[in-house]
Amino acid sequence: MQSKGSKQLAFMKDGDGRYLVGLGPFRSCAEAPESGTAFYCNDFTLSDPEPWKIPAEVLEVDSLKELGFEGGAAEVDWSELQPDGFAKVFAEINEAIGRGVIEKSVPVAAECGMLTGAADVGVEIIGRMACLGAPFYSYGWCDGARGFCGGTPELLFALDACRLKTMALAGTAKADERDVFAVDGKEIREHEFVAQTLVAKLSDIGDVTRGGREMMDLGQLVHFHTAIDVELFAPRGMDDLIRRLHPTPALGPLPRTVDTLRSLAEWRDRLHCPSHFGAPFGLLHDGVFCSVVAIRGVHWDGLNISVPAGCGVIEASRLVNEWRELRLKREAVKSVFGWMG
């Protein structure tokens, strides 16, 4: 089968469902189409004026192998991630918290490597990704020699008419530490920052129902999870909702202002964070829109690949614990792509 990695391609899979795949060339638009299928692909700062990507062809498949995506024998020469840059950013965030400028921010550190032995980088990386079921959303975007793909547990929101679903997902621990995690005051506070902020942002546009704080089991890791359902008072545009909710405090600063977002963008840039990490990535299909937070994935530009991870820093955070959390998250991603052991 002809290689798809050198062309434009997008895909999304909701939990245990099928992959919906869009093949290029894509037509870019400033607004969502009134009918049909479109992907939403933007960077973290939402700088693309035409983020809606309308594919030339749409397919539904049970496996991406049906489209010729097979991981081969390519290897990755990883560069050791040093803590110096992250430690400096961590100290600056702590200083800002101490001055009362912010309550929380989310620095990102990226482990980088060079892929060797791959005829087509997109085919190699997408082909290596394990097929993940619920609670993961599988997603990917490939534009020639650049792209990203992964399996995220975080839903930004799903919208069906006036029914909106979202979630607070924050607080992380190893699966075998779940009992201590369940009563960890720092992790609970971090989660509550996110949940309460989301409820506040949505209460003026609909009737909000907040579920209880639960634990989401992702195999190697566990997170605190709170489901939030909203019955909107009136229809809302998808772009309006994206800008209202992104970035949530799970990936962005609290409070979210022009200045705190600018500081976060500077920290992300200094730590070599890919521009699409943590950005909204969505699919509009059959009148229903689903947007996920593009975390837990791999980003590539030519043969250069990157595995980024972020952590929420609040007053109670400690550098050694956050550095460990970043490693655990990167290892979870690497295992999905067969790069552990």
Side-chain angles (χ1 to χ4, degrees):
M1 178 172 287
Q2 186 180 8
S3 168
K4 301 297 191 299
S6 59
K7 298 183 178 181
Q8 282 191 323
L9 173 140
F11 66 85
M12 182 178 284
K13 182 171 81 74
D14 181 350
D16 299 316
R18 307 182 76 201
Y19 291 91
L20 196 143
V21 182
L23 302 179
F26 286 78
R27 179 165 56 89
S28 296
C29 298
E31 298 180 352
E34 294 184 2
S35 61
T37 298
F39 290 84
Y40 182 93
C41 184
N42 213 332
D43 60 21
F44 188 80
T45 60
L46 306 183
S47 67
D48 188 346
E50 296 184 328
W52 293 95
K53 314 300 181 182
I54 302 173
E57 183 180 359
V58 178
L59 304 172
E60 285 194 54
V61 296
D62 293 314
S63 170
L64 294 176
K65 293 181 180 180
E66 297 177 35
L67 301 178
F69 287 95
E70 293 276 4
E75 298 181 353
V76 182
D77 182 13
W78 295 103
S79 299
E80 185 177 356
L81 182 58
Q82 299 295 329
D84 308 60
F86 179 81
K88 191 172 190 310
V89 167
F90 182 88
E92 291 174 14
I93 293 174
N94 268 333
E95 191 271 337
I97 292 173
R99 289 190 291 113
V101 176
I102 56 174
E103 295 181 66
K104 175 185 178 180
S105 196
V106 185
V108 177
E111 186 174 1
C112 300
M114 180 74 70
L115 194 67
T116 60
D120 191 308
V121 178
V123 169
E124 172 68 28
I125 296 178
I126 294 174
R128 292 185 68 95
M129 188 173 69
C131 184
L132 300 173
F136 292 98
Y137 298 84
S138 298
Y139 66 91
W141 170 261
C142 187
D143 187 1
R146 299 180 179 182
F148 56 87
C149 65
T152 176
E154 188 168 1
L155 175 72
L156 183 63
F157 69 90
L159 181 67
D160 185 355
C162 284
R163 296 184 298 278
L164 182 146
K165 293 182 179 294
T166 185
M167 65 169 65
L169 190 72
T172 305
K174 292 178 64 177
D176 59 6
E177 298 173 349
R178 66 179 67 235
D179 291 341
V180 175
F181 175 64
V183 293
D184 188 314
K186 179 266 178 184
E187 300 292 342
I188 291 172
R189 285 197 298 277
E190 181 182 340
H191 181 81
E192 285 302 310
F193 276 143
V194 178
Q196 292 172 12
T197 301
L198 283 171
V199 169
K201 285 183 174 296
L202 293 166
S203 294
D204 64 332
I205 62 172
D207 289 322
V208 178
T209 302
R210 174 183 167 171
R213 186 178 71 250
E214 299 178 348
M215 204 174 294
M216 179 184 284
D217 190 338
L218 301 179
Q220 295 172 265
L221 300 176
V222 290
H223 297 296
F224 284 133
H225 166 266
T226 297
I228 300 172
D229 296 332
V230 185
E231 189 67 31
L232 298 174
F233 297 139
R236 309 285 301 199
M238 289 167 283
D239 292 279
D240 169 67
L241 290 168
I242 288 171
R243 292 186 178 277
R244 176 179 287 263
L245 293 176
H246 170 78
T248 73
L251 265 295
L254 184 67
R256 192 179 81 182
T257 67
V258 171
D259 289 338
T260 60
L261 284 171
R262 184 184 299 113
S263 295
L264 177 59
E266 179 189 341
W267 288 323
R268 283 169 57 104
D269 185 60
R270 282 165 50 189
L271 294 173
H272 308 292
C273 175
S275 62
H276 286 84
F277 175 75
F281 185 81
L283 169 65
L284 174 63
H285 183 64
D286 291 338
V288 177
F289 180 61
C290 177
S291 176
V292 300
V293 180
I295 57 174
R296 307 298 168 85
V298 177
H299 301 246
W300 66 91
D301 185 351
L303 296 175
N304 297 297
I305 69 172
S306 174
V307 177
C311 59
V313 176
I314 62 174
E315 186 177 12
S317 298
R318 297 296 177 264
L319 176 60
V320 65
N321 295 333
E322 302 307 321
W323 187 247
R324 175 174 175 266
E325 178 180 321
L326 293 175
R327 176 178 56 80
L328 292 173
K329 288 178 176 178
R330 295 196 311 273
E331 289 177 351
V333 173
K334 285 182 175 181
S335 69
V336 170
F337 290 84
W339 287 327
M340 291 297 294

